[in-house]
Coordinates of all heavy atoms in Angstrom, one line a residue:
Y1153 N 106.7 100.6 109.8 CA 106.4 100.0 108.5 C 107.6 99.9 107.6 O 107.5 99.3 106.6 CB 105.3 100.7 107.9 CG 104.0 100.7 108.6 CD1 103.5 101.8 109.3 CD2 103.2 99.5 108.7 CE1 102.3 101.7 110.0 CE2 102.1 99.4 109.4 CZ 101.6 100.5 110.1 OH 100.5 100.4 110.8
W1166 N 108.2 114.8 98.9 CA 107.2 113.8 99.4 C 107.9 112.7 100.2 O 109.0 112.3 99.8 CB 106.6 113.2 98.1 CG 105.6 114.1 97.5 CD1 105.9 115.2 96.7 CD2 104.2 114.0 97.5 NE1 104.7 115.8 96.3 CE2 103.7 115.0 96.7 CE3 103.3 113.1 98.1 CZ2 102.3 115.2 96.5 CZ3 101.9 113.3 97.9 CH2 101.5 114.4 97.1
V1167 N 107.3 112.3 101.2 CA 107.8 111.2 102.0 C 107.2 109.9 101.4 O 106.0 109.9 101.1 CB 107.4 111.3 103.5 CG1 107.9 110.2 104.3 CG2 107.9 112.6 104.1
R1169 N 107.0 105.8 102.0 CA 107.2 104.7 102.9 C 106.7 103.4 102.3 O 105.5 103.3 102.0 CB 106.5 104.9 104.2 CG 106.7 103.8 105.2 CD 105.8 104.0 106.4 NE 106.3 105.1 107.2 CZ 105.5 105.7 108.1 NH1 104.3 105.3 108.3 NH2 106.0 106.8 108.7
K1178 N 94.0 96.7 104.6 CA 92.7 97.3 104.1 C 92.8 97.5 102.6 O 93.8 97.3 101.9 CB 92.5 98.7 104.7 CG 92.3 98.7 106.2 CD 92.2 100.0 106.9 CE 91.9 101.2 106.0 NZ 91.8 102.4 106.8
Y1180 N 92.7 99.9 99.4 CA 93.0 101.3 99.0 C 92.8 101.5 97.5 O 92.8 100.5 96.8 CB 94.4 101.6 99.4 CG 94.7 101.5 100.9 CD1 95.4 100.4 101.4 CD2 94.4 102.5 101.8 CE1 95.7 100.3 102.7 CE2 94.6 102.4 103.1 CZ 95.3 101.2 103.6 OH 95.6 101.1 104.9
R1181 N 92.7 102.7 97.1 CA 92.5 103.1 95.7 C 93.8 103.8 95.3 O 94.1 104.9 95.9 CB 91.3 104.0 95.5 CG 91.0 104.5 94.2 CD 90.5 103.5 93.2 NE 89.4 102.8 93.7 CZ 88.7 101.8 93.0 NH1 89.2 101.5 91.8 NH2 87.7 101.2 93.5
P1183 N 96.0 106.3 93.3 CA 95.7 107.5 92.5 C 96.3 107.5 91.1 O 96.0 108.2 90.3 CB 96.2 108.6 93.4 CG 97.2 108.0 94.3 CD 96.8 106.6 94.5
V1196 N 103.3 101.4 98.3 CA 104.0 102.5 99.0 C 102.9 103.5 99.5 O 101.9 103.7 98.9 CB 105.0 103.2 98.1 CG1 106.2 102.3 97.8 CG2 104.4 103.8 96.9
V1197 N 103.2 104.2 100.6 CA 102.4 105.3 101.1 C 103.2 106.6 101.0 O 104.4 106.6 101.3 CB 102.0 105.1 102.6 CG1 101.2 106.2 103.1 CG2 101.3 103.7 102.8
T1198 N 102.6 107.6 100.4 CA 103.3 108.9 100.2 C 102.4 110.0 100.7 O 101.2 109.9 100.8 CB 103.5 109.1 98.7 OG1 102.2 109.2 98.0 CG2 104.3 108.0 98.0
W1199 N 103.1 111.0 101.1 CA 102.5 112.3 101.6 C 103.5 113.4 101.5 O 104.7 113.2 101.5 CB 101.9 112.1 103.0 CG 103.0 112.0 104.1 CD1 103.6 112.9 104.8 CD2 103.5 110.7 104.5 NE1 104.4 112.4 105.7 CE2 104.4 111.0 105.5 CE3 103.3 109.4 104.2 CZ2 105.2 110.0 106.2 CZ3 104.0 108.4 104.8 CH2 105.0 108.7 105.8
P1200 N 103.0 114.6 101.3 CA 103.9 115.8 101.2 C 104.6 116.0 102.5 O 104.0 115.7 103.6 CB 102.9 117.0 100.9 CG 101.7 116.4 100.5 CD 101.6 115.0 101.0
G1203 N 102.8 118.0 104.8 CA 101.4 117.7 104.7 C 100.9 117.2 106.0 O 101.5 117.2 107.1
D1204 N 99.6 116.7 106.0 CA 98.9 116.3 107.1 C 98.6 114.8 107.0 O 98.9 114.2 105.9 CB 97.6 117.0 107.1 CG 96.8 116.8 108.4 OD1 96.4 115.7 108.6 OD2 96.5 117.8 109.1
V1205 N 98.1 114.1 108.0 CA 97.7 112.7 107.9 C 96.7 112.5 106.8 O 96.7 111.4 106.1 CB 97.2 112.3 109.3 CG1 96.7 110.8 109.2 CG2 98.3 112.4 110.3
D1206 N 95.8 113.4 106.6 CA 94.8 113.3 105.6 C 95.4 113.3 104.1 O 94.7 113.0 103.2 CB 93.7 114.3 105.7 CG 93.0 114.2 107.0 OD1 92.9 113.1 107.5 OD2 92.5 115.2 107.5
D1207 N 96.6 113.8 104.0 CA 97.2 113.9 102.7 C 97.9 112.6 102.2 O 98.5 112.6 101.1 CB 98.3 115.0 102.7 CG 97.6 116.4 102.9 OD1 96.4 116.5 102.5 OD2 98.3 117.2 103.4
R1208 N 97.9 111.6 103.0 CA 98.5 110.3 102.7 C 97.8 109.6 101.5 O 96.6 109.6 101.5 CB 98.6 109.3 103.8 CG 99.6 109.8 104.9 CD 99.7 108.7 106.0 NE 98.3 108.5 106.6 CZ 98.1 107.8 107.6 NH1 99.1 107.2 108.2 NH2 96.9 107.7 108.1
R1209 N 98.6 109.0 100.6 CA 98.0 108.3 99.5 C 98.7 107.0 99.3 O 99.9 106.9 99.5 CB 98.1 109.1 98.2 CG 97.3 110.4 98.2 CD 95.8 110.1 98.2 NE 95.0 111.3 98.3 CZ 94.5 111.7 99.5 NH1 94.6 111.0 100.5 NH2 93.8 112.8 99.5
H1210 N 98.0 105.9 99.0 CA 98.6 104.6 98.8 C 98.7 104.3 97.4 O 97.7 104.4 96.7 CB 97.7 103.5 99.5 CG 97.6 103.7 101.0 ND1 98.2 102.8 101.8 CD2 97.0 104.6 101.8 CE1 98.0 103.2 103.1 NE2 97.3 104.3 103.1
W1211 N 99.9 104.0 96.9 CA 100.1 103.8 95.5 C 100.7 102.4 95.2 O 101.4 101.9 96.1 CB 101.2 104.8 95.0 CG 100.9 106.2 95.0 CD1 100.7 107.0 96.0 CD2 100.8 107.1 93.8 NE1 100.5 108.3 95.6 CE2 100.6 108.4 94.2 CE3 100.9 106.8 92.4 CZ2 100.4 109.4 93.4 CZ3 100.8 107.9 91.6 CH2 100.5 109.2 92.0

Side-chain angles (χ1 to χ4, degrees):
Y1153 297 106
W1166 288 71
V1167 179
R1169 178 187 294 162
K1178 294 176 18 181
Y1180 298 103
R1181 178 73 54 181
V1196 295
V1197 179
T1198 64
W1199 65 92
D1204 191 298
V1205 173
D1206 296 333
D1207 296 332
R1208 289 185 300 186
R1209 297 292 175 255
H1210 295 253
W1211 293 69

